[in-house]
Amino acid sequence: MHNSKIAVLSDFDGTITICNVLNSLYEKFAAPSYREALERWNRGEISTMEEIETVFATVSASRAEMESFLDTFELDLGLPNLLIYCREAGIKFVIVSDGLRWYIEYIMRHHGIQEVAVYACEIHFERGGYRFSYPWFDSTTPMRSVSKSTIVRDYQSRGYKVVFIGDGVSDFEAAQVADIVYARDVLLDYTNDQGIQAREFSDMRDIIGDLKKLA
Ligand SMILES: [Mg+2]
């Protein structure tokens, strides 16, 4: 892999944060019926777009109320060093998330991290409610709001070796096409079941050491 460009594409919820921020927002601010929506999403019965829009229809909190809750989330301990390492080594690091760019950038900024590109859904705070848009949707992955596999392929077509990091259902398609996969939790089970080679990680510190061998 020497002399080739490397891009690290990382999931956010449950990967860069310990817990799932979107589900925590639901738990804190949505009607209890969000659980049914999540179960249906997990079973593949509804898309991420349907899940987000159904659940947020029951939320009435203001942006400020939700943002003060976002102040309580921690990032992976190894993330700052991983970002520094990537910058020094000329490795691209981007976030690919089936969640909302708003809370990802808010939490990162809260921890002093800026200038990381985020591919995610857009929430528009409007008078009396929320509206959503999905700039990274692709019909090859109709159940996902962000087509992570399409983004992986796009980087590959631009000459990058893609390292993908994730933990959940929305990472399945990307894990099938990435050059190197780091997985934990549901994604690790999936890669094992599917015979996809993946490296187990517990936090981002595990990944820095490996990247040093690649770069
Ligand atoms: Mg995740």
Side-chain angles (χ1 to χ4, degrees):
M1 197 163 293
H2 196 65
N3 285 338
S4 64
K5 297 193 287 185
I6 299 172
V8 177
L9 274 56
S10 179
D11 171 51
F12 187 75
D13 288 83
T15 299
I16 284 179
T17 53
I18 314 300
C19 58
N20 187 304
V21 178
L22 186 59
N23 296 356
S24 302
L25 283 166
Y26 292 168
E27 188 181 1
K28 177 92 174 162
F29 297 108
S33 58
Y34 83 87
R35 290 195 188 89
E36 192 196 319
L38 280 184
E39 281 163 20
R40 294 191 64 205
W41 180 82
N42 266 314
R43 290 196 297 265
E45 294 168 12
I46 58 170
S47 68
T48 305
M49 292 73 78
E50 288 173 279
E51 176 212 294
I52 289 174
E53 291 177 25
T54 305
V55 177
F56 268 90
T58 74
V59 173
S60 57
S62 69
R63 178 176 187 156
E65 284 172 301
M66 290 193 281
E67 288 182 347
S68 69
F69 179 61
L70 295 178
D71 289 341
T72 64
F73 287 88
E74 296 297 329
L75 296 178
D76 183 283
L77 279 175
L79 182 69
N81 282 340
L82 179 59
L83 293 177
I84 290 167
Y85 174 72
C86 286
R87 197 158 48 233
E88 288 174 355
I91 295 172
K92 201 157 188 67
F93 183 97
V94 304
I95 293 172
V96 285
S97 168
D98 213 23
L100 307 174
R101 189 169 62 85
W102 153 66
Y103 67 72
I104 295 170
E105 291 187 341
Y106 183 91
I107 294 172
M108 303 271 282
R109 264 199 317 274
H110 183 72
H111 292 275
I113 295 171
Q114 291 177 30
E115 294 168 10
V116 175
V118 176
Y119 298 82
C121 310
E122 301 291 333
I123 181 171
H124 308 276
F125 293 91
E126 296 182 339
R127 196 175 297 185
Y130 322 95
R131 188 170 58 78
F132 298 89
S133 56
Y134 309 100
W136 306 106
F137 173 81
D138 188 89
S139 57
T140 56
T141 51
M143 302 305 276
R144 316 289 183 226
S145 63
V146 168
S147 187
K148 298 186 186 190
S149 51
T150 302
I151 298 167
V152 170
R153 286 202 185 91
D154 182 56
Y155 274 91
Q156 288 169 330
S157 73
R158 287 187 277 143
Y160 286 93
K161 292 281 179 197
V162 174
V163 176
F164 183 81
I165 313 170
D167 76 310
V169 173
S170 67
D171 302 316
F172 288 180
E173 296 86 1
Q176 290 171 358
V177 293
D179 297 290
I180 294 171
V181 177
Y182 287 91
R184 63 181 177 201
D185 299 332
V186 175
L187 182 62
L188 185 64
D189 296 340
Y190 175 79
T191 54
N192 287 337
D193 288 349
Q194 299 288 312
I196 298 167
Q197 248 194 11
R199 306 175 185 192
E200 187 174 2
F201 73 102
S202 49
D203 66 49
M204 299 276 164
R205 290 175 299 188
D206 299 341
I207 295 166
I208 301 174
D210 270 12
L211 282 180
K212 284 183 177 166
K213 292 177 211 153
L214 294 178

